[in-house]
Amino acid sequence: QGTFLVTQAVARALVAAGAPGGSIVHVGSVVGKVGNLGQVHYAAAKAGVQGLTRSCAKELASLQGWCRWDVSGTPRTWPMSSRSWRPPRAATSRGPAWR
């Protein structure tokens, strides 16, 4: 809901300013296009952002404005570098380290 409300407010400001060429940039994720295990909620939200961006672009086109979707992908961090990654043995035998 937040992405929509901010987009709506910025689009109204662009229209009120009457300045052509304004841009709205949404941050997306490749997960919104291809999905991912265990991330149904995230994939659905990001697919929604993609649809919002496409509709926004069509709305702003008549005003010479832009609505773009930035999908930079997922950074590979050390826990994601191996599918077989497991927490250290000490953390599993005595419970999570943050307790």
Side-chain angles (χ1 to χ4, degrees):
Q1 183 178 355
T3 305
F4 169 75
L5 294 174
V6 171
T7 300
Q8 186 180 46
V10 172
R12 286 180 177 164
L14 288 173
V15 170
S23 292
I24 298 174
V25 179
H26 295 137
V27 178
S29 173
V30 70
V31 175
K33 291 188 101 170
V34 298
N36 203 7
L37 290 172
Q39 293 186 325
V40 172
H41 59 290
Y42 184 74
K46 291 303 179 177
V49 171
Q50 181 183 10
L52 173 66
T53 304
R54 289 180 181 202
S55 295
C56 174
K58 291 177 181 180
E59 294 282 339
L60 292 180
S62 64
L63 304 170
Q64 297 177 345
W66 293 89
C67 205
R68 297 179 178 145
W69 188 44
D70 176 35
V71 182
S72 41
T74 305
R76 272 189 87 71
T77 57
W78 66 272
M80 295 173 56
S81 62
S82 170
R83 284 177 133 341
S84 62
W85 181 84
R86 298 282 184 264
R89 185 179 289 277
T92 57
S93 63
R94 289 181 275 153
W98 58 84
R99 286 188 186 168

